[in-house]
């Protein structure tokens, strides 16, 4: 191993051991490093029928594709959610990260929506998933703040999918307004910030307030410029 790189690892380990507070800021690059890539062979291996039918190029941009019908849109999203939330399981990278900080006073803020921190046994009360979670559905217009676990429905969609379509009776409808539903992701202005979201936000803010004037370590992993105002810029300002 390169000596300079080894020195940086040793230095970082020392910072972790001495920190009073640790904040982990995690973006898409962390999950990509764990093997959860949204493009390349992982995409082509799992979405060949969708690629052929719609010309999709990757999982990220496909989330904004205008499908002709709800039966087709939910066929895509069922596969997307199943692959990235329910099939992947805990990854070694996230489990290793927990081992580094588990004895410390830490908190996680992440733009990732794949539950990898929770799957790796990070306590849910120490995680703020700012952009939502693949495991839930919400009213597409945010007419109310309830979220709905989607695991059973997604599995049923996958089992009954044909030619990139699901049966019409499996298309989710809002139980309040009867309208469309969406995955609970911040993809438009109707993203639901419910009581649990606000509680996590408050817990993160309290953690940051408590760390002021103390030995605070910010660990930023895989954060780009898609939504830099959530982690990158605040971390820079705190530094």
């Amino acid at each position: 191993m390169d000596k300079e790189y080894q020195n940086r690892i040793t230095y970082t380990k020392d910072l972790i051991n001495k920190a009073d507070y640790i904040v982990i800021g995690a973006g898409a690059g962390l999950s990509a490093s764990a093997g959860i890539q949204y493009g390349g062979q992982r995409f082509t291996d799992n979405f060949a029928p969708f690629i052929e039918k719609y010309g999709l190029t990757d999982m990220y941009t496909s989330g904004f594709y205008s499908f002709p019908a709800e039966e087709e849109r939910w066929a895509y999203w069922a596969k997307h959610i199943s692959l990235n939330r329910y099939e992947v399981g805990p990854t070694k990278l996230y489990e290793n990260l927990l081992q580094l900080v588990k004895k410390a006073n830490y908190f996680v803020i992440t733009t990732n929506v794949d539950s990898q921190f929770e799957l790796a046994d990070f306590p849910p009360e120490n995680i703020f998933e700012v952009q939502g979670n693949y495991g839930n559905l919400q009213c597409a217009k945010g007419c109310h703040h309830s979220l709905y676990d989607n695991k059973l429905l997604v599995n049923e969609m996958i089992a009954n999918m044909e030619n990139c379509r699901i049966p019409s009776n499996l298309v989710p409808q809002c139980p309040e307004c009867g309208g469309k539903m969406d995955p609970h992701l911040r993809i438009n202005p109707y993203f639901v910030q419910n009581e649990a979201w606000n509680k996590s936000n408050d817990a993160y803010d309290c953690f940051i307030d408590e760390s002021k004037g103390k030995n605070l370590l910010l660990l930023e992993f895989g954060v780009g410029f898609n939504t830099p105002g959530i982690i990158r810029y605040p971390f820079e300002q705190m530094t």
Side-chain angles (χ1 to χ4, degrees):
M1 183 181 295
D2 178 82
K3 185 176 180 180
E4 181 183 354
Y5 187 57
Q6 181 61 58
N7 289 340
R8 288 164 60 194
I9 291 175
T10 302
Y11 175 66
T12 304
K13 181 180 179 181
D14 187 55
L15 291 177
I16 292 172
N17 290 335
K18 292 179 178 178
D20 297 321
Y21 294 82
I22 297 175
V23 179
I24 296 171
L30 184 62
S31 284
S33 294
I36 309 175
Q37 294 97 355
Y38 278 20
Q41 186 173 349
R42 185 169 181 264
F43 175 64
T44 56
D45 284 352
N46 287 282
F47 289 88
F50 294 90
I51 294 169
E52 181 179 355
K53 187 171 183 178
Y54 306 108
L56 305 182
T57 57
D58 61 84
M59 278 182 267
Y60 178 76
T61 59
S62 297
F64 300 93
Y65 185 85
S66 181
F67 290 92
E70 283 293 285
E71 289 84 355
E72 295 170 75
R73 182 170 82 100
W74 279 106
Y76 170 78
W77 272 113
K79 183 59 182 175
H80 183 121
I81 292 169
S82 178
L83 180 66
N84 295 302
R85 172 60 182 86
Y86 299 123
E87 296 176 34
V88 67
T91 57
K92 190 64 176 176
L93 180 58
Y94 280 85
E95 291 174 337
N96 287 343
L97 183 56
L98 177 61
Q99 294 305 309
L100 288 177
V101 301
K102 67 178 182 179
K103 295 181 180 179
N105 184 20
Y106 69 86
F107 205 98
V108 173
I109 180 170
T110 181
T111 53
N112 297 340
V113 295
D114 51 24
S115 297
Q116 276 295 307
F117 282 103
E118 190 170 346
L119 288 170
D121 287 333
F122 282 78
E125 62 269 20
N126 287 19
I127 306 168
F128 181 23
E129 295 176 318
V130 184
Q131 305 289 65
N133 188 287
Y134 279 140
N136 294 317
L137 302 181
Q138 67 160 80
C139 172
K141 294 297 182 182
C143 79
H144 65 295
H145 282 182
S146 294
L147 302 178
Y148 303 89
D149 184 277
N150 63 28
K151 185 175 182 179
L152 294 178
L153 179 60
V154 165
N155 288 341
E156 194 172 0
M157 289 177 176
I158 295 290
N160 291 279
M161 188 186 306
E162 291 184 12
N163 192 29
C164 302
R165 290 179 66 94
I166 62 167
S168 297
N169 67 300
L170 293 182
V171 173
Q173 290 185 312
C174 175
E176 296 292 331
C177 71
K180 297 178 181 179
M181 297 194 79
D182 277 337
H184 184 229
L185 309 175
R186 195 185 297 275
I187 54 178
N188 57 41
Y190 303 110
F191 176 74
V192 167
Q193 295 180 179
N194 64 356
E195 183 178 351
W197 190 97
N198 288 319
K199 184 177 179 180
S200 295
N201 188 20
D202 291 343
Y204 175 68
D205 288 343
C206 287
F207 190 89
I208 296 299
D209 287 341
E210 290 172 5
S211 73
K212 289 180 179 177
K214 307 290 179 57
N215 186 9
L216 169 65
L217 175 63
L218 303 173
L219 296 174
E220 181 181 301
F221 297 105
V223 179
F225 286 95
N226 191 21
T227 53
I230 296 174
I231 298 172
R232 178 180 285 266
Y233 292 161
F235 272 29
E236 290 179 0
Q237 290 167 355
M238 283 189 283
T239 301

